Amino acid sequence: MTGIKDLFGKELTVLNLGLESMAQSVKDQGVKVINVDWQPPRAGIPHLQHTQGGIDIDEANQEAVERIRRGQPVLVGMGIAREVIPGMHERMILHAGPPIAWERMCGPTRGAVMGALIYEEICPDEQAAQKLAASGAIEFSPCHHHHAVGPMAGVVSPSMPVFILENKTFGNRTFCTLNEGLGKVLRYGGMGQEVYARLKWMASDLYPALDRALGSLPDGINIKSLIAQALHMGDECHNRNRAATSLFLRAIGPALARTNRDNEVLARVIEFIDRNDHFFLNLSMPAAKAMLEPAEGVAGSSIVTVMARNGTDFGIRLASMPDRWFTAPAGKVQGLYFPQYTEKDANPDIGDSTITETAGYGGMAMAAAPAITQFVGGTPQLATRTTLEMYEITFGEHENLTIPTLNFRGTPLGIDVRKVMETGILPQINTGIAHKDPGVGMVGAGILRAPEACFREAWKALSEI
């Protein structure tokens, strides 16, 4: 039988576009093949180069991504939510994701709202809290409308202490509550005396200790630097924050000691942070928000600046349309469950923590964190493939956030809604799983893809401006 080499009479190198099976059939004949991962544009999805108003979208995206890349989020202090978060007041509760009314809130968000009303001592019990929440007397507002972010239900009530981060390059400030740990906690919709007691201790002991320590650090703590180091130590800074939490404790430890007023309180503060590998999540999230905000308002840009879920809807916003939400039903998480739970117990995807993927780490940087697959499922090989795939839908790469196993390549940065629609590749998300019913809390962790429908609507809107 005549082979390809026999036909040409000399050594060949074949360039294969698209189907890998075609490349393999040529390789089987002993021919060198260079395979190019390529596919034709999806039907009905032309590549948008300019807006209807004539703006060059690539130039706009270059500006947006450069602003994100230059961001320098620094932890500069702490405060009480009603005193420091713009627009916050005594009868307001912030939540994760796009806007939603009480009637459409999922179980864990309802549980977190009711728990917050009891924590604030506005209501004596769950029944009274549910009645008040449904009455219209409480104003519900997305964290993202107030320069804030919140993991899972994302509930922020008026007296909760919050971290304050400042982007030193652009001067914008962002906010986030303190992380409670895993299990039965408010952000997963948990209710009960153990939940309220922990929150009270965080307000009475943890917050003052951290506040005094930060007050003694005139330059604050550079959170972007900690994220960069953590990516080199096996974290992706969304669902794995073990190294980052340790780095934060090392950064603030001396200041905690120097401003200490009670040795037992200091010991409990250090133990609380040390035993909670997710403590840094509530710093990596506002850091991402601080980096992304300066990109909002870049006319003609197709870069996504917000991805967030309220447990009912998944919403995104674009740099060129920062006040407009594009939404779709929240997805189902594929994950690993605690022994007593199954996927039948799970609420759909929830939380503002997808701000980390939006800013170029979290699921975008899974190749840096192969061990995370023990927590969310999958394999180390899947983690690497996921990051490589995310480069297909991003406009650029970080310069300072890099991945050792990819020869210190910068993480994928700037989700481009055009590329999402042209390739059909949806952003990868790592996340926790909340029980669908109010009051229970966390039941597992897993991974999923963002829903296509909101990207399709955003792409359509972009094509019309």
Side-chain angles (χ1 to χ4, degrees):
M1 180 178 178
T2 302
I4 292 179
K5 287 197 295 186
D6 299 327
L7 289 174
F8 291 90
K10 60 181 181 180
E11 292 294 324
L12 297 175
T13 299
V14 173
L15 182 66
N16 180 72
L17 301 178
L19 291 177
E20 193 170 350
S21 58
M22 291 290 291
Q24 189 59 49
S25 66
V26 179
K27 286 180 183 175
D28 292 343
Q29 299 183 56
V31 177
K32 182 179 179 182
V33 179
I34 298 174
N35 191 46
V36 177
D37 185 11
W38 176 87
Q39 62 182 10
R42 300 172 77 200
I45 308 294
H47 181 67
L48 302 177
Q49 293 183 314
H50 296 85
T51 66
Q52 296 283 349
I55 297 174
D56 186 310
I57 297 175
D58 282 339
E59 289 183 2
N61 286 350
Q62 188 64 45
E63 173 64 23
V65 168
E66 187 58 25
R67 291 186 189 183
I68 301 169
R69 192 182 283 138
R70 289 173 56 204
Q72 289 295 336
V74 172
L75 176 60
V76 295
M78 303 188 67
I80 299 300
R82 63 172 173 268
E83 299 170 357
V84 297
I85 295 180
M88 189 77 180
H89 59 74
E90 291 286 357
R91 290 287 169 169
M92 173 178 280
I93 287 182
L94 307 185
H95 62 78
I100 190 167
W102 172 259
E103 291 75 19
R104 294 188 66 243
M105 284 183 185
C106 65
T109 300
R110 286 190 174 203
V113 168
M114 290 189 286
L117 292 172
I118 297 170
Y119 162 75
E120 293 284 346
E121 299 180 357
I122 296 173
C123 297
D125 54 38
E126 295 173 17
Q127 186 176 13
Q130 183 172 12
K131 184 177 180 181
L132 179 64
S135 71
I138 301 296
E139 181 180 358
F140 300 114
S141 186
C143 291
H144 277 290
H145 291 187
H146 301 266
H147 308 283
V149 283
M152 302 310 288
V155 160
V156 183
S157 61
S159 70
M160 288 183 177
V162 294
F163 289 123
I164 304 172
L165 275 75
E166 181 174 312
N167 184 336
K168 291 296 184 180
T169 307
F170 295 93
N172 57 301
R173 288 192 165 193
T174 56
F175 310 89
C176 189
T177 56
L178 283 62
N179 194 283
E180 311 158 71
L182 299 178
K184 189 174 183 179
V185 290
L186 190 78
R187 73 178 188 280
Y188 278 89
M191 291 184 284
Q193 289 307 312
E194 65 185 276
V195 176
Y196 312 136
R198 186 187 304 111
L199 290 171
K200 292 289 186 183
W201 176 81
M202 290 169 68
S204 65
D205 289 13
L206 177 64
Y207 160 57
L210 291 173
D211 189 41
R212 286 195 302 272
L214 286 169
S216 72
L217 300 174
D219 297 325
I221 296 176
N222 188 324
I223 300 301
K224 186 176 182 180
S225 173
L226 297 188
I227 293 171
Q229 295 175 62
L231 292 178
H232 289 189
M233 298 167 69
D235 283 356
E236 41 74 271
C237 294
H238 180 169
N239 247 330
R240 184 177 170 86
N241 287 283
R242 178 171 295 180
T245 297
S246 299
L247 290 168
F248 173 73
L249 193 53
R250 190 169 73 168
I252 201 169
L256 281 171
R258 292 192 178 101
T259 57
N260 172 43
R261 294 177 180 173
D262 184 307
N263 285 344
E264 181 55 29
V265 171
L266 175 62
R268 288 194 65 193
V269 165
I270 293 173
E271 285 176 346
F272 183 81
I273 298 173
D274 177 62
R275 292 173 180 176
N276 176 10
D277 287 344
H278 279 65
F279 191 83
F280 190 80
L281 173 63
N282 289 43
L283 289 165
S284 70
M285 288 175 58
K289 180 69 175 170
M291 287 190 283
L292 287 159
E293 280 191 338
E296 295 179 346
V298 175
S301 174
S302 58
I303 298 300
V304 177
T305 52
V306 170
M307 290 197 298
R309 322 82 100 195
N310 56 33
T312 302
D313 303 317
F314 187 112
I316 67 171
R317 301 199 295 189
L318 301 186
S320 54
M321 291 173 267
D323 297 326
R324 183 173 176 181
W325 287 93
F326 302 95
T327 62
K332 183 178 179 181
V333 183
Q334 304 295 319
L336 302 177
Y337 289 86
F338 297 158
Q340 65 270 42
Y341 299 110
T342 71
E343 62 180 18
K344 294 180 180 177
D345 300 302
N347 194 78
D349 191 24
I350 183 172
D352 284 336
S353 53
T354 36
I355 197 70
T356 58
E357 279 82 11
T358 316
Y361 40 100
M364 294 285 167
M366 280 189 71
I372 195 175
T373 54
Q374 292 183 317
F375 185 58
V376 299
T379 63
Q381 292 76 17
L382 172 66
T384 299
R385 286 201 306 272
T386 297
T387 293
L388 293 175
E389 187 181 34
M390 292 300 100
Y391 288 112
E392 300 294 320
I393 60 170
T394 49
F395 188 82
E397 300 175 11
H398 269 293
E399 292 177 344
N400 304 118
L401 305 183
T402 60
I403 301 174
T405 55
L406 299 182
N407 198 24
F408 295 97
R409 184 177 181 181
T411 59
L413 171 63
I415 299 169
D416 186 341
V417 73
R418 298 176 305 170
K419 292 188 175 184
V420 172
M421 292 309 301
E422 290 168 14
T423 64
I425 298 172
L426 296 164
Q428 173 77 42
I429 298 166
N430 302 331
T431 190
I433 306 173
H435 198 284
K436 63 184 178 182
D437 296 329
V440 180
M442 183 180 185
V443 297
I447 56 178
L448 76 159
R449 299 287 181 143
E452 183 187 28
C454 50
F455 290 89
R456 188 187 312 122
E457 290 302 311
W459 182 89
K460 183 173 183 293
L462 180 72
S463 68
E464 294 172 348
I465 62 174

